[in-house]
Amino acid sequence: MARSGAGVTALPVAVVLLAVVATVAMHAAAGDGGGKMASHGEGTNLKASSAPVPAGGSAGQFRGQARLPRFAAPRRYELHLRPDLVAFTFSGSVAIAVAVSASTRFLVLNAADLSVDRASIRFQALAPTEVVFFKEDDVVVLGFAKPLPLGEGVLKMDFNGTLNDEMRGFYRSQYQYKGKARNMAVTQFEPVDARRCFPCWDEPAFKAKFKLTLEVPSELVALSNMPIANTLVAGPIKTVRYQESPLMSTYLVAIVVGLFEYVEGVTSQGTRIRVYTQIGKSSQGKFALDVGVKSLDLYKDYFGTPYPLPKLDMVAIPDFAAGAMENYGLVTFRDVALLFDDKSSSASSKQDVAITVAHELAHQWFGNLVTMEWWTHLWLNEGFATWVSHLAVDSFFPQWDIWTQFLDSTTNALKLDSLEESHPIEVEIHHASEVNQIFDAITYDKGASLIRMLQSYLGADRFQKALASYIKKYAYSNAKTEDLWAVLEKETGEPVKDLMSTWTKQKGYPVINAKLKGINMELDQAQFLLDGSSGPGMWIVPITSSCGAYDSPKKFLLKLKRDKLVIASQCGDRKKGGNFWTKLNINGTGFYRVKYDDELAAALQNALETKKLSLMDNIGIVDDSHALSMARQQTFASLLRLLYCYRGEADFSVLSHVNSVTTSIAKISVDATPGLAGDIKQLLIKILLSPAEKLGWDPKNGESHLDVMLRPLLLFALVQLGHGKTINEGVRRFNIFIHDHNTSLLPPDTRKAAYLAVMQNVSSSNRSGYNALRKVYRESAEGEERLHVLGILSSCRDKGIVLESLNLIFTNEVRNQDAYIAISGVQIEAREIAWTWLKENWERISKTFSASSLVGVFVRAIVPLFSSNEKAEEISKFFATRTTPGFERTLKESLEIVRINARWVEGIKSEPGLAQTVRELLGKP
Ligand code: BES
Ligand code: ZN
């Protein structure tokens, strides 16, 4: 399932949730229990007594419960599976050593889409007297005639299932080998789909040991979490037995069976790492292998604990719902998130591969060794892995300036979290069907941003030491958010729990209003919402500030609604001008926005224009200003004036944020000031043109990685803004490229901009460019390049072309996993066409994409393109009878964005003097 983003802008991760993949596409109840009683080797760590203990009663008492009862818990699974890659079925048997800790005559566990052979079920020698399935809960209740003996017993059963095509549970994926279609069998269990492969206690806190056996065709590679113990070949079938795993959660169990080749490396600790790819592609695994080896070495030191398993495999899977999955010792990836080819991949995809590998490997400690006690604490896994992957990549590739790029995550999260429809980081989960939708920008990006905020408040060294003791304390066990705070508090003596609970238990974040009053700066906090209202939230805010220079920043905790900061001594006499500027939230480490009074804002703008501020602060200022303008706390004209100050900017990260703001402005002006929209585009072009001209289309020898990424960003933006010269040049280069794919005129980095340029001239009566692009799509090997084409095919105003491109998702030209890329190109001018298409095809879309949870991305790509309350009404009516728990949240968020857009439009319409501002800025030298 895709992480469903939220987005004021378009797709992933919530603004792009599917971070990795998206980037490729776009430019390019908690129960009790838990705790740490178990140590390695001792069974599970659930407190047996935390649930009522039903000795009698009926099976019905277990219906509709958020969690399984705790009176019985698995210790060890022996799982035997026989996938049939021709018939797309599998059969299996499982023997589970179960510890019964309180008197009961029931065993309650999970199973879904499996047919369990009733006659085969035994607990020790006992056969159940009743077997009841609660389908809507994925629960099976085994009732026995008498209370079960306390202590350990073995539960056995046989079952059958389908190797489905839904990219979850035990599924099939198709690839080509020697010109023929072949199938592989793959698992994807997180969050709640292990139960689709074998009956189990499918909750993260029921940790157990796993011993797997697979029966598969002899010629195939069969991988699981642990190394192979022995293989027995009997003609066409081999039986592969794996070593027993340490204690782990069900969602991390994994199996991959198919044809592969690999590259191999070894860590300094002696752990063997392999990257498995399709036959013929193993050299594309070298980069990920290198990052993998370095990551394991770095994390061993950072967490103060060695990598827990004997081996690590990373595998590229052709059909994959998410970007990558951290299965213990067997990490699975989408092709594009693992493979890197010097000749055909772009610099940004190199970065994505590095971040993805570092992220999944961080989970081997944070997530796999220490696991969240319940899905409410998912952010511990994902927020942390997101944060620490940046730490790792920064140490491997310091020249990438990845921490500045990290602000993408922060600004993403700030956007989603300024919606009324946002949710707290710690969110109650009442039913398995709710888990999928919390893999969103709040969990990932707000989570990671809060960890950065805390680390910066506590200091890097103290923070690392505390983390290492947290990992040691909870290894092979589970933890809750408060367990982490308790360790940090003990190690640092700081009030971590009080501070952080204000951020994790309530949704939203504050805007700090900063006003100069004599020698003081008055600060007050109010919850920031994009709809212009102010919520009730209050936070303990780690305030940082600098005046005139960065050398002696101030730090303090704003605990009240209002407080004062004395600034005079640092800032000198402001009447003298010069160095006077004050910046709060230095380098955007805090998860809040700042609204300055006019005087402070003017001084800051001056400092920005004269290049006195850090790159990170340049980003924070434009992002805050954009949000304040949307919320109508600031005029549109002042946003344009501020944006104009960035015209001399040359940094990739800053310009990528400037570009998101320009994209948003260009879109909203279509509805808000149709008469001025053309001039506004010219203004935006003026801001982006000079850095683009400096870089040109051709890569320069020895230029930096960031410049290599900046070039396509700017070219793409200029094409999108309709800059004629860039469009013509893109078309010219494309025409050479279609005759000579190896031309140096169009290397992988700039291709997408050229593709978009070609699309500008395409229509139903002038299809040659479109046909050429479709040909490139069909003929390019699978991977990044294909996706770049796919991402722009719907970027057109022509109805016929847009529909033809959208309908590609129903053909076998586009894998289901990539459908969201095919719709991501829809432009504002084609929104009605796309919306009508979505309505007409909804049945089919929801049927095809619900299981893999990719259905939300359709809503997210199309709905936020609108900006009127009437449209929000119409969309909401359409979905009134059509929502499912899987995308309810996404829909509500998207509708809120439409209403926010509508309010912004009204605000801009009523702004006097806007035209004059635009003209004045356009006329400036
Ligand atoms: N644990 C997730 C994979 C996942 C996502 C499973 C959603 C179930 C539902 C994995 O660690 C992850 O976060 N993958 C990211 C990539 C990462 C670089 C942010 C993804 O798939 O987008
Ligand atoms: Zn993750």
Side-chain angles (χ1 to χ4, degrees):
M1 56 303 310
R3 297 158 53 201
S4 59
V8 175
T9 58
L11 248 206
V13 190
V15 193
V16 188
L17 214 180
L18 274 165
V20 180
V21 192
T23 352
V24 172
M26 296 184 19
H27 30 154
D32 199 356
K36 29 114 223 141
M37 283 127 50
S39 64
H40 191 183
E42 273 176 24
T44 180
N45 52 347
L46 293 165
K47 287 184 206 149
S49 56
S50 56
V53 180
S58 72
Q61 66 191 301
F62 304 111
R63 175 178 227 144
Q65 303 297 311
R67 298 178 68 168
L68 295 171
R70 319 299 181 83
F71 48 69
R75 297 281 190 244
R76 181 165 176 273
Y77 291 79
E78 278 197 32
L79 177 60
H80 195 122
L81 290 167
R82 291 168 293 270
D84 182 333
L85 292 166
V86 178
F88 301 141
T89 56
F90 63 92
S91 61
S93 57
V94 67
I96 314 172
V98 180
V100 179
S101 53
S103 175
T104 179
R105 64 178 195 86
F106 295 105
L107 290 175
V108 187
L109 60 160
N110 296 111
D113 294 345
L114 292 175
S115 82
V116 176
D117 173 11
R118 272 189 71 139
S120 70
I121 307 175
R122 290 285 180 283
F123 181 66
Q124 301 293 80
L126 303 170
T129 50
E130 54 178 334
V131 178
V132 187
F133 283 92
F134 295 124
K135 198 167 178 299
E136 63 281 18
D137 302 321
D138 301 343
V139 157
V140 54
V141 179
L142 310 177
F144 295 85
K146 286 190 298 206
L148 303 172
L150 296 187
E152 218 169 284
V154 176
L155 173 67
K156 289 187 178 167
M157 62 187 97
D158 302 335
F159 51 91
N160 293 293
T162 307
L163 274 184
N164 69 67
D165 60 356
E166 299 173 349
M167 299 187 277
R168 63 169 176 175
F170 203 8
Y171 72 95
R172 59 185 192 256
S173 170
Q174 215 179 55
Y175 58 101
Q176 297 285 324
Y177 178 64
K178 293 192 174 159
K180 282 211 186 102
R182 305 278 299 228
N183 292 293
M184 63 173 80
V186 193
T187 55
Q188 167 60 42
F189 290 168
E190 192 183 17
V192 289
D193 293 321
R195 60 191 68 175
R196 286 172 209 282
C197 181
F198 60 102
C200 57
W201 274 257
D202 197 12
E203 292 180 6
F206 284 110
K207 285 196 176 184
K209 297 176 179 178
F210 288 83
K211 197 166 178 203
L212 267 72
T213 305
L214 299 178
E215 267 179 64
V216 296
S218 300
E219 77 278 11
L220 300 184
V221 174
L223 303 170
S224 185
N225 308 86
M226 297 295 289
I228 293 175
N230 56 62
T231 305
L232 205 97
V233 181
I237 296 291
K238 63 180 173 185
T239 302
V240 186
R241 279 177 224 285
Y242 299 87
Q243 295 174 20
E244 182 171 283
S245 79
L247 286 174
M248 61 185 277
S249 305
T250 46
Y251 79 91
L252 294 166
V253 173
I255 295 164
V256 175
V257 182
L259 278 176
F260 295 100
E261 62 180 35
Y262 62 83
V263 285
E264 182 177 290
V266 181
T267 67
S268 63
Q269 185 195 319
T271 308
R272 193 203 77 199
I273 308 192
R274 286 180 181 167
V275 175
Y276 284 87
T277 68
Q278 278 180 48
I279 308 285
K281 288 197 189 172
S282 62
S283 66
Q284 295 181 32
K286 284 186 187 152
F287 177 67
L289 176 66
D290 181 47
V291 174
V293 170
K294 287 184 177 136
S295 296
L296 288 200
D297 283 337
L298 181 136
Y299 292 143
K300 169 186 65 114
D301 294 338
Y302 191 80
F303 296 123
T305 300
Y307 174 70
L309 298 185
K311 64 94 180 170
L312 170 72
D313 295 324
M314 302 196 274
V315 195
I317 309 291
D319 299 276
F320 199 78
M325 173 65 210
E326 71 267 25
N327 312 301
Y328 223 174
L330 177 55
V331 183
T332 44
F333 295 77
R334 274 186 184 226
D335 280 10
V336 289
L338 183 68
L339 305 182
F340 177 78
D341 179 3
D342 267 324
K343 280 202 215 71
S344 67
S345 308
S346 64
S348 77
S349 85
K350 184 173 196 174
Q351 233 186 239
D352 291 342
V353 168
I355 286 280
T356 310
V357 169
H359 176 111
E360 305 310 335
L361 299 197
H363 277 313
Q364 307 300 311
W365 284 260
F366 229 92
N368 301 7
L369 183 60
V370 178
T371 310
M372 69 250 150
E373 195 275 334
W374 180 239
W375 298 107
T376 299
H377 308 284
L378 175 68
W379 83 279
L380 280 180
N381 263 15
E382 298 303 349
F384 196 85
T386 300
W387 177 80
V388 86
S389 66
H390 287 76
L391 183 127
V393 167
D394 186 48
S395 105
F396 311 148
F397 305 100
Q399 69 280 19
W400 291 1
D401 193 16
I402 205 78
W403 282 115
T404 306
Q405 298 190 53
F406 176 84
L407 290 181
D408 286 354
S409 302
T410 306
T411 56
N412 252 352
L414 287 168
K415 247 168 229 156
L416 178 58
D417 209 20
S418 50
L419 300 182
E420 193 59 68
E421 289 295 343
S422 184
H423 62 87
I425 274 202
E426 291 184 63
V427 49
E428 279 199 28
I429 297 292
H430 305 290
H431 196 273
S433 62
E434 299 168 4
V435 183
N436 256 311
Q437 26 178 356
I438 60 168
F439 285 81
D440 67 358
I442 295 299
T443 298
Y444 280 75
D445 294 332
K446 184 176 183 181
S449 303
L450 294 188
I451 288 165
R452 176 168 177 251
M453 176 166 89
L454 182 62
Q455 189 225 24
S456 124
Y457 178 73
L458 295 176
D461 289 347
R462 292 204 293 177
F463 190 71
Q464 176 185 354
K465 283 199 189 92
L467 280 180
S469 48
Y470 168 82
I471 293 286
K472 283 203 184 74
K473 185 167 177 185
Y474 291 100
Y476 301 102
S477 179
N478 298 80
K480 300 180 188 175
T481 304
E482 289 183 5
D483 297 326
L484 175 59
W485 300 158
V487 175
L488 283 159
E489 201 156 306
K490 188 161 164 243
E491 297 277 331
T492 65
E494 299 280 348
V496 177
K497 184 177 160 205
D498 285 351
L499 165 68
M500 293 308 287
S501 297
T502 67
W503 296 94
T504 60
K505 290 190 186 294
Q506 61 184 341
K507 67 180 177 183
Y509 61 86
V511 53
I512 307 295
N513 287 291
K515 292 195 186 83
L516 266 186
K517 284 274 161 70
I519 59 160
N520 293 325
M521 181 143 67
E522 274 187 12
L523 304 177
D524 80 79
Q525 59 163 308
Q527 184 177 351
F528 179 76
L529 289 164
L530 273 176
D531 67 8
S533 67
S534 172
M538 279 278 289
W539 288 263
I540 299 181
V541 190
I543 301 278
T544 51
S545 75
S546 280
C547 292
Y550 280 100
D551 43 16
S552 47
K554 286 194 171 188
K555 270 185 173 185
F556 88 106
L557 289 181
L558 174 66
K559 296 185 175 156
L560 308 168
K561 171 96 179 113
R562 256 182 213 92
D563 212 334
K564 274 193 207 96
L565 187 67
V566 183
I567 55 164
S569 59
Q570 274 183 26
C571 285
D573 183 350
R574 61 179 181 273
K575 301 228 167 52
K576 287 188 194 141
N579 268 344
F580 165 70
W581 54 265
T582 305
K583 172 76 180 57
L584 297 183
N585 194 11
I586 301 303
N587 292 334
T589 52
F591 196 72
Y592 53 90
R593 299 196 185 279
V594 184
K595 184 179 179 212
Y596 300 93
D597 70 12
D598 290 347
E599 194 173 349
L600 287 163
L604 208 51
Q605 191 157 319
N606 180 43
L608 183 123
E609 238 183 326
T610 50
K611 303 241 170 281
K612 303 251 165 47
L613 304 181
S614 69
L615 297 178
M616 291 184 184
D617 281 339
N618 288 345
I619 291 171
I621 291 172
V622 72
D623 191 66
D624 282 355
S625 181
H626 176 231
L628 288 165
S629 172
M630 282 184 87
R632 294 174 59 180
Q633 294 198 32
Q634 191 189 302
T635 61
F636 192 61
S638 67
L639 174 62
L640 292 178
R641 282 184 193 284
L642 174 77
L643 206 60
Y644 192 75
C645 301
Y646 288 83
R647 71 196 177 284
E649 184 56 63
D651 176 75
F652 166 76
S653 293
V654 178
L655 281 169
S656 104
H657 286 265
V658 167
N659 177 48
S660 327
V661 176
T662 56
T663 307
S664 158
I665 290 178
K667 269 193 202 159
I668 206 73
S669 36
V670 170
D671 292 317
T673 62
L676 258 189
D679 283 351
I680 289 179
K681 275 193 178 172
Q682 290 312 311
L683 178 61
L684 301 175
I685 288 172
K686 189 176 172 192
I687 294 168
L688 298 176
L689 193 58
S690 91
E693 280 178 338
K694 251 180 231 144
L695 289 169
W697 279 80
D698 297 310
K700 317 253 178 320
N701 265 345
E703 69 188 342
S704 73
H705 167 85
L706 293 174
D707 278 350
V708 175
M709 297 220 297
L710 179 57
R711 173 175 298 113
L713 177 99
L714 292 172
L715 292 174
F716 194 85
L718 288 171
V719 171
Q720 210 158 25
L721 288 167
H723 185 244
K725 201 172 149 209
T726 309
I727 294 174
N728 293 341
E729 184 59 15
V731 172
R732 185 182 80 83
R733 286 175 186 250
F734 178 77
N735 286 335
I736 296 168
F737 168 76
I738 43 176
H739 298 297
D740 171 15
H741 267 48
N742 295 320
T743 174
S744 61
L745 289 178
L746 206 55
D749 287 290
T750 42
R751 274 177 210 163
K752 198 176 174 195
Y755 299 159
L756 187 70
V758 171
M759 284 303 296
Q760 303 308 300
N761 302 325
V762 158
S763 68
S764 299
S765 54
N766 178 16
R767 291 181 55 101
S768 62
Y770 185 71
N771 292 342
L773 282 166
R774 290 282 298 275
K775 187 157 177 270
V776 173
Y777 178 78
R778 277 193 306 273
E779 288 175 3
S780 57
E782 286 195 73
E784 195 192 347
E785 169 160 13
R786 270 194 121 190
L787 300 183
H788 280 172
V789 180
L790 189 60
I792 53 88
L793 287 178
S794 56
S795 298
C796 188
R797 291 167 190 229
D798 184 281
K799 189 170 172 189
I801 298 283
V802 172
L803 291 178
E804 187 173 335
S805 302
L806 294 176
N807 285 327
L808 279 177
I809 68 162
F810 301 125
T811 70
N812 56 14
E813 276 194 58
V814 180
R815 291 181 188 264
N816 285 350
Q817 64 164 12
D818 297 328
Y820 78 94
I821 297 173
I823 55 169
S824 66
V826 174
Q827 306 281 305
I828 194 162
E829 292 81 4
R831 61 190 169 187
E832 277 299 344
I833 303 168
W835 167 234
T836 308
W837 171 85
L838 187 66
K839 282 190 291 194
E840 285 170 358
N841 291 286
W842 183 253
E843 292 282 298
R844 190 168 179 187
I845 289 172
S846 84
K847 227 189 244 136
T848 314
F849 297 96
S850 287
S852 54
S853 301
L854 285 164
V855 68
V857 301
F858 288 84
V859 172
R860 190 180 309 291
I862 295 172
V863 173
L865 294 171
F866 290 99
S867 52
S868 79
N869 290 323
E870 298 71 47
K871 202 73 197 181
E873 221 26 58
E874 181 198 324
I875 295 167
S876 144
K877 270 206 194 107
F878 175 79
F879 283 114
T881 54
R882 293 176 174 90
T883 44
T884 62
F887 81 104
E888 216 175 347
R889 199 185 281 289
T890 308
L891 177 66
K892 286 183 175 164
E893 286 160 8
S894 299
L895 286 172
E896 191 179 344
I897 292 164
V898 177
R899 297 197 174 98
I900 288 163
N901 286 342
R903 189 173 173 273
W904 196 21
V905 164
E906 290 315 310
I908 297 170
K909 278 189 173 151
S910 62
E911 225 178 87
L914 183 58
Q916 202 186 330
T917 304
V918 173
R919 259 171 241 132
E920 179 197 320
L921 292 173
L922 265 176
K924 274 195 178 186

